[in-house]
């Protein structure tokens, strides 16, 4: 996975230096040659700095790209920056490792997004408990719904994928338990409620 991601980042840096944002980064637009070279394709949705002020003959009534990979700020406000492509990349990394998506987007597909709260991250370790928490934190930061909370450079994201980031780990430990592992907390609560219901039924049955 790191080998693929490293090459994707090289391509995205070329876009960044040219003042461009891909805006439709997803698995279908990443091609791997028989020699193992990764190539980004489909530049039809690329945003170019300096051309945004020019009124296009084709108005975009809704954001282009796949909602499963597209950044929230683009869906909600039509804003596309470097961190928007980073979001898409982080989602792809998550998917490569788990064969699943970090966000459940059913409601967004049905009625559209209303706020960044529509993007609720599912811990990587829920699918792959064998993977370290620090890797999960790196990916979670990369696809954070708030672009200001993401890594501010591709190099930061890459470094976070290579080794534990002490700042991310400290920040995680300071979170409330519900935010650290919401899935496990709700499982415990549900189990506790089930025990209560069973106990009440037992006492009612025995008088």
């Amino acid at each position: 996975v790191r080998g693929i991601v490293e090459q994707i980042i090289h391509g995205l840096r070329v876009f960044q230096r040219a003042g461009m944002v891909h805006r439709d980064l997803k698995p279908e637009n990443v091609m791997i040659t028989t020699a193992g070279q990764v190539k980004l394709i489909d530049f039809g949705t690329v945003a170019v700095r300096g051309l945004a002020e020019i009124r296009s003959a084709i108005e975009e009534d809704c954001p282009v790209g796949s909602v499963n990979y597209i950044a929230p700020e683009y869906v909600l406000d039509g804003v596309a920056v470097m961190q928007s492509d980073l979001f898409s990349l982080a989602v792809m990394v998550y998917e490569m490792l788990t064969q699943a998506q970090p966000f459940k987007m059913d409601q967004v597909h049905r009625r559209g997004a209303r706020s960044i709260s529509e993007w609720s991250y599912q811990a990587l370790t829920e699918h792959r408990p064998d993977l370290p928490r620090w890797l999960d934190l790196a990916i979670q930061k990369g696809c954070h719904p708030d672009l200001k909370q993401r890594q501010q450079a591709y190099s930061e994201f890459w470094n976070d994928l290579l080794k534990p980031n002490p700042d991310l780990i400290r920040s995680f430990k300071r979170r409330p338990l519900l935010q650290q592992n919401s899935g496990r907390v709700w499982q415990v609560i549900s189990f506790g409620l089930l025990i209560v219901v069973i106990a009440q039924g037992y006492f009612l049955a025995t008088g």
Side-chain angles (χ1 to χ4, degrees), residues 10-205:
H10 285 322
L12 292 177
R13 280 175 171 162
V14 173
F15 275 85
Q16 185 180 15
R17 287 194 293 270
M20 300 189 298
V21 180
H22 191 286
R23 298 200 301 175
D24 194 18
L25 190 63
K26 56 186 178 182
E28 293 84 348
N29 289 337
V30 178
M31 184 174 65
I32 303 178
T33 69
T34 54
Q37 289 184 321
V38 175
K39 297 182 181 295
L40 303 183
I41 63 174
D42 191 355
F43 302 156
T45 62
V46 170
V48 183
R49 185 191 305 138
L51 297 183
E53 296 81 7
I54 301 176
R55 186 177 182 84
S56 172
I58 302 176
E59 295 293 337
E60 292 177 359
D61 295 327
C62 61
V64 294
S66 171
V67 72
N68 288 330
Y69 303 92
I70 195 171
E73 65 271 10
Y74 188 34
V75 175
L76 296 168
D77 305 314
V79 174
V81 293
M82 181 277 290
Q83 285 85 1
S84 305
D85 281 347
L86 174 60
F87 175 95
S88 303
L89 175 59
V91 171
M92 289 170 54
V93 175
Y94 185 105
E95 188 174 20
M96 282 191 280
L97 292 171
T98 67
Q99 304 302 310
Q101 291 278 327
F103 306 102
K104 294 181 179 180
M105 305 304 295
D106 295 343
Q107 290 187 352
V108 175
H109 280 290
R110 287 196 302 268
R111 58 167 174 73
R114 298 173 180 174
S115 71
I116 61 174
S117 63
E118 305 280 0
W119 284 260
S120 180
Y121 183 83
Q122 302 176 74
L124 181 81
T125 49
E126 291 184 13
H127 303 282
R128 290 285 304 276
D130 58 310
L131 294 177
R133 173 63 71 178
W134 63 264
L135 181 61
D136 184 23
L137 296 176
I139 296 171
Q140 182 178 8
K141 183 176 177 66
C143 61
H144 197 288
D146 183 353
L147 70 88
K148 296 179 181 178
Q149 299 299 319
R150 296 173 209 151
Q151 290 91 344
Q152 297 303 298
Y154 292 120
S155 59
E156 290 182 25
F157 180 63
W158 176 243
N159 288 332
D160 288 347
L161 292 180
L162 294 179
K163 58 185 179 181
N165 182 332
D167 292 334
L168 281 181
I169 295 173
R170 282 193 294 268
S171 175
F172 173 76
K173 290 181 177 179
R174 289 196 297 266
R175 297 179 191 174
L177 181 60
L178 183 59
Q179 292 184 14
Q180 290 187 25
N181 197 334
S182 59
R184 182 62 55 84
V185 171
W186 287 116
Q187 287 177 1
V188 172
I189 292 174
S190 299
F191 181 74
L193 291 174
L194 178 61
I195 295 298
V196 171
V197 171
I198 293 174
Q200 287 179 338
Y202 173 78
F203 287 121
L204 289 173

